[in-house]
Amino acid sequence: MEFGAVLQCNPPAARTVHLAKLAEAYGFSHLWTFDSHLLWQEPYVLYSQILHETKRITVGPMVTNPATRDWTVTASLFATLNEMYGNRTICGIGRGDSAVRVGGGKPTTLAVLRESVHVIRELANSRPVEYNGSTLQFPWSTGSSLEVWVAAYGPKALALTGEVADGYILQLADLDIAEWMIGTVRSAAKAAGRDPDSIKICVAAPMYIGTDRAHMREQCRWFGGMVGNHVADIVTRYGTGGGVPKALTDYIADRHGYDYNEHGRAGNTHADFVSDEIVERFCVLGTPEEHIAKLRALADLGVDQFAGYLQHDNKEETLRVYGETVIPRLRQAVTATTVSA
């Protein structure tokens, strides 16, 4: 299993760069950031500095969208970073949440998402693509390599992911829901004639190392509110019996609105409907041993990467314990399993 850290681009920018360098030092392979230009600083500017000050870590948005940036501009950003620093970028993309909603916009359609994945991937991999009636290609780009991973919750979005994505981003760590969603993506891939195992699976959720459960829950309750925005869209589209697990849809029954100015922040006042049980199920909290046990269970479901959100008050300590204990222990377990096989 690989490990990613997920940051918001809060000022000062130097702190975001510092945390990215810590993540690499502690063995994380990926550094992801939110991509909402009205709420936080511009991530692609920070990616350039992070890549300049690190040697191995891969950077990318979790997640961008097809609405707020022209697709050719997005592809050019990645191809440029790859030319400057080697192929160390990755593109997480979805229909759009905070980046579009905070300005009064709406998520794009799945058809738009599908086309954007194709255009961004082809251009950012130094290949030509048909776009708006023209054949486009970056004349300056050679050898650029970019994977496009899609974030999805609903049945149709999961099917799209299985059909076109290089990877799947699931933004919650509930084992039962993860099993259903991963299975849905892989079934769609198989139906589309793809190798289901070729799609990389990333589970993204808050990670907090500690022993004060009440405090950890309060620091991470915001995440259930964020996920609830997507679930509310699903319920609006499919109802509560539209093939989506009740474990996912039932918890938003008492949800009342959402303020995107508090998006992704500990203490979010619009997450009070999120129960302690949901926080525990959706996040990875507790002692190193508790983290290891849950991550092993996710690995057994086929998860290739765990990306931990660090929107709480224990960032450096959580990174340290992961680097010194959690990541080595899990890698030892994988090595032992491979040798015994």
Side-chain angles (χ1 to χ4, degrees):
M1 179 181 281
E2 293 184 323
F3 294 87
V6 188
L7 303 176
Q8 289 173 342
C9 299
N10 288 310
R15 176 154 169 74
T16 304
V17 176
H18 167 70
L19 290 169
K21 292 167 68 175
L22 275 184
E24 179 176 84
Y26 285 129
F28 288 77
S29 60
H30 289 70
L31 189 285
W32 303 88
T33 72
F34 285 53
D35 179 9
S36 295
H37 59 290
L38 291 172
L39 296 177
W40 302 290
Q41 293 180 321
E42 175 56 38
Y44 292 94
V45 176
L46 292 175
Y47 295 160
S48 188
Q49 187 67 21
I50 290 167
L51 290 167
H52 177 71
E53 296 195 25
T54 57
K55 296 178 179 179
R56 297 176 301 280
I57 206 161
T58 295
V59 304
M62 187 178 281
V63 294
T64 192
N65 68 86
T68 56
R69 303 179 192 274
D70 182 273
W71 310 344
T72 62
V73 173
T74 297
S76 181
L77 287 166
F78 286 114
T80 300
L81 290 172
N82 284 342
E83 191 278 327
M84 292 174 69
Y85 302 107
N87 291 317
R88 293 168 56 200
T89 65
I90 190 167
C91 179
I93 192 168
R95 294 174 56 227
D97 185 30
S98 60
V100 294
R101 296 188 204 257
V102 75
K106 295 181 179 180
T108 65
T109 65
L110 289 176
V112 168
L113 176 60
R114 180 188 296 270
E115 185 180 3
S116 72
V117 168
H118 175 66
V119 171
I120 292 168
R121 181 165 49 206
E122 294 308 294
L123 287 174
N125 279 277
S126 305
R127 297 191 292 258
V129 67
E130 295 297 316
Y131 179 61
N132 285 343
S134 300
T135 300
L136 304 179
Q137 185 171 11
F138 298 139
W140 48 266
S141 178
T142 58
S144 178
S145 178
L146 179 77
E147 291 187 352
V148 181
W149 293 16
V150 173
Y153 291 102
K156 291 183 180 179
L158 293 170
L160 179 151
T161 303
E163 292 163 2
V164 305
D166 298 306
Y168 168 48
I169 297 172
L170 169 57
Q171 290 165 303
L172 57 81
D174 179 273
L175 296 175
D176 293 335
I177 296 171
E179 182 175 17
W180 178 81
M181 290 191 168
I182 292 168
T184 301
V185 168
R186 287 182 167 158
S187 294
K190 184 176 181 180
R194 303 181 68 195
D195 176 5
D197 293 330
S198 69
I199 301 173
K200 296 177 182 177
I201 307 296
C202 173
V203 161
M207 58 178 179
Y208 195 119
I209 294 286
T211 56
D212 185 340
R213 300 212 78 85
H215 181 73
M216 290 188 291
R217 291 174 189 140
E218 287 309 309
Q219 286 288 300
C220 297
R221 198 175 304 276
W222 65 266
F223 184 66
M226 185 185 82
V227 173
N229 297 326
H230 301 285
V231 176
D233 285 346
I234 294 170
V235 171
T236 298
R237 179 179 292 268
Y238 299 102
T240 56
V244 180
K246 287 179 66 62
L248 183 59
T249 59
D250 283 357
Y251 89 96
I252 67 164
D254 295 325
R255 176 182 179 272
H256 301 288
Y258 192 81
D259 182 356
Y260 275 91
N261 291 307
E262 295 184 335
H263 186 63
R265 299 187 187 279
N268 185 330
T269 59
H270 293 76
D272 56 356
F273 70 93
V274 181
S275 69
D276 288 349
E277 178 191 4
I278 288 295
V279 178
E280 293 279 356
R281 283 168 45 195
F282 282 17
C283 304
V284 184
L285 312 177
T287 64
E289 289 72 24
E290 289 176 296
H291 283 246
I292 290 166
K294 189 161 189 177
L295 293 174
R296 281 177 173 167
L298 287 168
D300 289 342
L301 296 177
V303 174
D304 300 292
Q305 181 184 147
F306 172 66
Y309 286 91
L310 288 170
Q311 283 65 57
H312 55 63
D313 61 1
N314 199 33
K315 297 177 179 64
E316 281 88 350
E317 178 66 3
T318 295
L319 286 172
R320 182 190 68 79
V321 175
Y322 260 72
E324 295 180 358
T325 304
V326 176
I327 293 175
R329 288 267 299 277
L330 285 167
R331 285 180 176 161
Q332 289 170 4
V334 171
T335 302
T337 300
T338 302
V339 171
S340 64

